[in-house]
Amino acid sequence: MKRRLTTILCADGVRYSAHMAADEDGALERLRQCRAVMEDLFAAHEGRRINTWGDAVIAEFASVVEAVRCAVAIQERVETENLGLPEADRLRFRIGVNLGDVMTDGDDLYGDGVNVAARLQELAPPGGVVVSAAVHEFAHRQLAFAFEPLGEVEMKHLAGPVRSYAVRIDRRNAPEARPAEPIRIRDADAFSKTGRRLDEIRAWILAQPRSVQRSAALILFFFSVNLFFSGIATPWFIFPSLPFALHILRHRRRLRRAGEAAEG
């Protein structure tokens, strides 16, 4: 099997078994309509359906940004389709989007890249979208949607916690949509920005493979020993840290090139 980095979207119906129990024919017809909407939007956003089972759909996208746009468009279109129906008959979906490494077997995809997308959709509310930290890394600067951090979430059958973000479909990042911020003194503002940046770096590292996490941990270890025994005035920790820092930089460069290639 070959491997590649790609963007996976997983959509799953909410309480579809209950809809089927109440009205099998009506529930199946609504599912078909929603799938037709998804197929149109997949094509419009340069994606393709990989597989379906029951009321779930898996799709692949060449672009991280287009995958998130498609996920939001699906939720908006499905809600429009629901407008003429009683609340009890409205079919809604949870959607998860992940950028990850997958194995290919013909047109099918396998691996943690797919599994994480499936787990992320379980975190989404009905009609909502949740994305991984890797997707957020590439998409949040390109899209007007607001992203709400959900923190690190333990997911069954996965090795470690996954940092995720909820896409706020009802709120945009446009300046006019942001509430006015209180005036803060410069030092406090700079401290807050530094703290947020450190949180972003930590979130990015936690979302990466274990080799990157180990490299970051060793750099921190060398820095701590240096600080304890010699102080920062003699920064010898740089030399033993250099190969590990280069490993992290090479990995980040590969991710950036993969994202740019996917978006191009």
Side-chain angles (χ1 to χ4, degrees), residues 107-215:
D107 289 335
D108 292 329
L109 301 180
Y110 303 93
D112 275 352
V114 179
N115 296 337
V116 170
R119 299 303 177 204
L120 288 170
Q121 66 82 16
E122 296 175 358
L123 301 177
V129 178
V130 170
V131 305
S132 65
V135 171
H136 175 263
E137 172 77 12
F138 286 106
H140 77 282
R141 294 185 182 88
Q142 308 296 325
L143 298 173
F145 306 112
F147 292 79
E148 179 180 341
L150 301 180
E152 297 172 13
V153 181
E154 293 284 350
M155 297 184 179
K156 57 184 178 182
H157 306 311
L158 295 178
V162 175
R163 181 168 286 272
S164 55
Y165 294 79
V167 182
R168 293 297 303 271
I169 298 175
D170 59 335
R171 197 179 74 210
R172 310 279 171 156
N173 277 332
E176 63 272 16
R178 293 178 177 174
E181 294 186 356
I183 298 174
R184 295 171 294 183
I185 61 173
R186 182 177 301 175
D187 289 345
D189 190 46
F191 181 80
S192 177
K193 287 179 180 178
T194 302
R196 287 197 299 271
R197 182 57 182 163
L198 289 174
D199 285 342
E200 289 175 2
I201 293 172
R202 179 172 175 271
W204 183 85
I205 290 173
L206 289 172
Q208 304 313 307
R210 289 186 177 179
S211 63
V212 173
Q213 295 179 12
R214 283 195 295 267
S215 295

Side-chain angles (χ1 to χ4, degrees), residues 66-89:
E66 289 303 316
V68 178
R69 283 177 175 154
C70 183
V72 173
I74 287 171
Q75 298 294 34
E76 292 176 340
R77 283 280 298 279
V78 168
E79 197 58 35
T80 299
E81 296 286 331
N82 282 330
L83 288 178
L85 298 173
E87 182 62 32
D89 294 336

